[in-house]
């Protein structure tokens, strides 16, 4: 658990999980509340939070890609595309990010 906060890969994994959760809550809870029950509060507050997490994930993915010397056509583009697909960040975390050796390994 400590590696999620102390390594660049760990922080990217943490951002991937948070971004994925925020997207799921936004799509499956906040938007239905707004459109079906006319309760826009959660959507108004969670939208900017999800946007910030999305941008943090993209910038950190690029930073980690340069730092780890990932080949763009092999790894970086997959990680970047993942944040556009629901459940994509969870899949990328499972398939790619958790298998990359961290600085402390």
């Amino acid at each position: 658990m400590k590696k999620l906060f102390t390594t660049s890969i760990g922080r990217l994994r943490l951002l991937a999980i948070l971004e994925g959760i925020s997207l799921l809550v936004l799509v499956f809870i906040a938007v239905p509340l707004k459109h079906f029950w006319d309760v826009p509060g959660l959507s108004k507050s969670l939208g900017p939070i999800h946007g910030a997490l999305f941008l943090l994930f993209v910038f950190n993915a690029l930073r980690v890609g340069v730092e780890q010397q990932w080949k763009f056509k092999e790894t970086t583009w997959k990680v970047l595309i993942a944040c556009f697909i629901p459940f994509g960040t969870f899949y990328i975390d499972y398939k790619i990010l958790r298998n990359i050796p961290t600085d402390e390994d």
Side-chain angles (χ1 to χ4, degrees), residues 8-62:
S8 58
I9 296 288
R11 287 188 292 273
L12 183 61
R13 289 184 68 197
L14 185 62
L15 278 172
I17 292 166
L18 291 174
E19 195 271 338
I21 290 171
S22 72
L23 177 64
L24 293 176
V25 171
L26 190 63
V27 169
F28 292 114
I29 297 173
V31 171
L33 280 174
K34 179 181 178 182
H35 290 289
F36 296 126
W37 292 284
D38 200 28
V39 181
L42 184 60
S43 183
K44 282 184 179 180
S45 61
L46 191 59
I49 293 169
H50 170 70
L53 288 170
F54 173 81
L55 290 174
L56 282 171
F57 178 79
V58 169
F59 291 137
N60 274 294
L62 291 171

Side-chain angles (χ1 to χ4, degrees), residues 12-13 16 57 75 77-83 87-99:
L12 183 61
R13 289 184 68 197
F57 178 79
T75 307
W77 76 273
K78 292 177 187 176
V79 173
L80 290 174
I81 292 296
C83 62
F87 302 106
T89 54
F90 301 118
Y91 178 79
I92 284 299
D93 179 55
Y94 179 75
K95 283 292 193 181
I96 295 177
L97 297 178
R98 78 175 186 158
N99 297 323

